[in-house]
Amino acid sequence: AVERTLSIIKPDAVAKNAIGDIISRFEKAGLKVVGARMMHLSREQAEGFYDVHKERPFFNDLVEFMISGPALVQVLEGEDAIAKNRDIMGATNPKEAAPGTIRADFAVSIDENAVHGSDAPETAEREIAFFFGDDGVCPRTR
Ligand code: CMP
């Protein structure tokens, strides 16, 4: 089915000037950018977005990293977009990411891992609404 998923190009990848290369990988895989916002997240936004992780030991480091510089928040659309995006990203820990994936090529550590992608339809819906609300994403054309 055609799905939408939330993608974040994180501050480490933005700082490396890798935005174009990463979007090119999404587009070559058939995913379309249907929403995009360049954002320097506030602490409140980062904490709210990653609320599900707030009891985890890495939460504070995750928030500090996500507010360390600008990030590109996007909505990607395509056939099986959620799983496809996760395949293109590779494993959360870049040391375990398959060759040719974004995290294998751009990430240095599990903390600074270049990209985020929604992991399921329910989280995609929540995450898209978190950043875009009812506004800012292109309407479906197909
Ligand atoms: P992301 O997909 O954005 O979701 C939460 C982030 O927390 C994850 O990518 C990692 O960058 C970071 N993180 C740090 N340590 C861990 C860990 N042990 N397990 C999962 N995520 C972690």
Side-chain angles (χ1 to χ4, degrees):
V2 174
E3 295 172 338
R4 290 182 167 197
T5 190
L6 189 90
S7 164
I8 303 178
I9 301 181
K10 296 186 180 184
D12 59 325
V14 172
K16 285 178 189 157
N17 275 3
I19 290 175
D21 193 319
I22 291 173
I23 294 179
S24 170
R25 291 172 185 226
F26 296 146
E27 292 191 324
K28 285 185 179 124
L31 297 174
K32 289 194 179 305
V33 178
V34 296
R37 286 180 74 184
M38 197 75 210
M39 304 179 73
H40 194 145
L41 298 185
S42 68
R43 186 175 297 276
E44 291 65 35
Q45 285 173 317
E47 287 177 350
F49 181 75
Y50 282 119
D51 185 62
V52 64
H53 294 306
K54 66 172 182 282
E55 307 300 338
R56 309 282 293 271
F58 57 81
F59 182 70
N60 283 336
D61 287 345
L62 173 62
V63 169
E64 291 298 334
F65 166 61
M66 290 302 291
I67 68 176
S68 67
L72 180 59
V73 182
Q74 297 183 98
V75 179
L76 305 177
E77 181 183 284
E79 190 67 28
D80 290 323
I82 296 166
K84 193 174 276 181
N85 182 37
R86 292 179 72 78
D87 284 348
I88 300 165
M89 290 194 297
T92 303
N93 186 345
K95 293 180 178 64
E96 293 161 10
T101 60
I102 292 169
R103 283 163 170 161
D105 290 344
F106 294 105
V108 294
S109 70
I110 193 167
D111 294 300
E112 304 203 1
N113 66 351
V115 280
H116 167 83
S118 308
D119 63 3
E122 306 72 47
T123 45
E125 192 175 346
R126 174 197 173 263
E127 291 178 358
I128 292 168
F130 185 90
F131 284 117
F132 292 92
D134 297 328
D135 208 30
V137 183
C138 296
R140 287 178 189 275
T141 53
R142 285 159 290 155

